[in-house]
Amino acid sequence: MRKLKISTVVLYLVITIVALFTLIPFVVVVSGSFSAERDLVVYGASLFPRNFTTDAYRFLMANRASIVTGYRVTLTVTVIGTALSIYLTTSLAYVISIKSVKLRNPIAFFVYFTMLFNGGIVPWFIWIVRHLQLRDSIWVLILPMAMSAFFVMVMRTSLASLPESLRESAIIDGASEFKILYKIILPVSKPIIATITLFYMLNYWNDWFHALFFIDDRNLVPLQFNLYRIVSNLAFLSSSDEIARTAAQHVTLPTESVRMATVVLTIGPIVFVYPFLQKHFVKGITIGAVKG
């Protein structure tokens, strides 16, 4: 028992040290966002700001309305997009995981083929703008990423590993395929669903590429693209020699601190989602699913 306790203490100590080293980069970013610009240029980022200031956040909040609009759009896209993506991914993965489906292999090959080749940006742009007519629509931020072939294949592999007795017993009881999927299969597949949900949420939350191509309406600009434009404009002002010399006589542009502040603003909300999904990562898929 004593050896067990000592080994447990050592294990927790090692895990704690690793966790602290993992948190250090984020702490440095937060500290840099509250540091003076001159301190970052001269001394670099540190765990604690030398001169505490909120200039970077005040600079970003100068256009508070666009930040609030960006948060609203991004939250809407993330919630709707993730729900739609999980529905489509699980439905398709379930179909191609059933051995009795005759076209399961051709459909799976079609899904896999899209992971190797694509039509290119120009046909993709023409299809979305001219044929689907999604430009300046919130759906253009959702539908192009609604299904990932990689996640479909991952989900299919997970569902195919489940015992056939689950589905067969449900069919004998007269359950439909939809009821089998959503009442029996998915409840015992929480770990993989939680993982895919988290990755879909990250994809939607961090997306700015589609807004760059298809969004001109200011009321539909997501948070990431809004902050991207702010940082890009600030970098342009700092890199222009003539403007930089003129600005240096009046004010120091918080270029580096603003970059770190944008990281804090964008990563903050999504970080709080992980603890709610973490417990599902370590659970077994079929624990308690089949009674002996």
Side-chain angles (χ1 to χ4, degrees):
M1 293 297 294
R2 183 178 180 183
K3 292 182 179 180
L4 180 61
K5 291 181 180 179
I6 293 176
S7 62
T8 303
V9 171
V10 172
L11 178 62
Y12 281 125
L13 182 61
V14 172
I15 294 176
T16 302
I17 294 175
V18 173
L20 290 177
F21 274 105
T22 305
L23 290 174
I24 285 176
F26 182 70
V27 174
V28 170
V29 170
V30 175
S31 173
S33 67
F34 289 104
S35 300
E37 183 67 18
R38 294 186 183 275
D39 292 339
L40 292 176
V41 174
V42 176
Y43 303 104
S46 59
L47 290 176
F48 302 98
R50 292 177 178 270
N51 296 295
F52 184 87
T53 179
T54 58
D55 290 343
Y57 293 97
R58 284 188 292 179
F59 182 88
L60 290 175
M61 292 302 169
N63 193 4
R64 189 179 298 110
S66 64
I67 301 294
V68 174
T69 300
Y71 261 107
R72 186 184 71 249
V73 173
T74 300
L75 284 173
T76 303
V77 169
T78 301
V79 173
I80 298 177
T82 302
L84 179 62
S85 297
I86 292 299
Y87 173 77
L88 295 176
T89 300
T90 53
S91 299
L92 178 57
Y94 176 68
V95 171
I96 61 179
S97 68
I98 301 175
K99 296 180 180 180
S100 59
V101 176
K102 295 182 179 180
L103 298 178
R104 61 187 293 265
N105 290 329
I107 296 175
F109 175 78
F110 177 78
V111 175
Y112 175 73
F113 186 82
T114 61
M115 297 172 59
L116 304 177
F117 303 97
N118 60 70
I121 293 180
V122 175
W124 171 71
F125 181 86
I126 294 175
W127 174 257
I128 291 178
V129 174
R130 293 187 179 179
H131 299 282
L132 298 182
Q133 298 182 357
L134 294 177
R135 190 166 191 171
D136 275 337
S137 169
I138 196 171
W139 292 105
V140 80
L141 303 175
I142 298 175
L143 295 182
M145 298 191 301
M147 183 179 294
S148 170
F150 175 76
F151 293 148
V152 170
M153 299 306 293
V154 172
M155 177 67 76
R156 176 221 182 184
T157 303
S158 177
L159 297 182
S161 64
L162 295 176
E164 286 288 336
S165 56
L166 285 176
R167 181 170 175 272
E168 292 173 355
S169 60
I171 293 177
I172 293 175
D173 292 337
S176 63
E177 293 293 345
F178 279 99
K179 191 171 184 179
I180 294 174
L181 174 61
Y182 293 105
K183 295 293 185 180
I184 298 176
I185 302 299
L186 295 188
V188 298
S189 303
K190 289 182 180 180
I192 186 62
I193 294 176
T195 303
I196 293 178
T197 299
L198 181 61
F199 282 115
Y200 269 126
M201 291 181 65
L202 291 175
N203 288 341
Y204 281 110
W205 184 267
N206 294 323
D207 178 55
W208 57 269
F209 184 76
H210 292 87
L212 176 65
F213 274 88
F214 304 112
I215 297 298
D216 295 324
D217 189 353
R218 293 182 178 180
N219 295 324
L220 294 177
V221 175
L223 177 66
Q224 300 288 355
F225 184 59
N226 194 1
L227 296 178
Y228 167 78
R229 291 194 301 186
I230 293 175
V231 173
S232 298
N233 294 335
L234 193 58
F236 170 77
L237 293 176
S238 301
S239 62
S240 178
D241 295 336
E242 185 65 26
I243 298 177
R245 284 196 298 269
T246 303
Q249 300 175 359
H250 301 86
V251 65
T252 301
L253 296 177
T255 307
E256 298 298 328
S257 57
V258 165
R259 290 178 180 176
M260 296 186 180
T262 56
V263 173
V264 176
L265 288 178
T266 55
I267 201 176
I270 203 68
V271 166
F272 295 103
V273 178
Y274 180 77
F276 296 99
L277 300 177
Q278 181 184 11
K279 62 181 180 180
H280 297 295
F281 291 167
V282 295
K283 288 184 177 180
I285 296 179
T286 60
I287 294 179
V290 181
K291 296 182 178 180

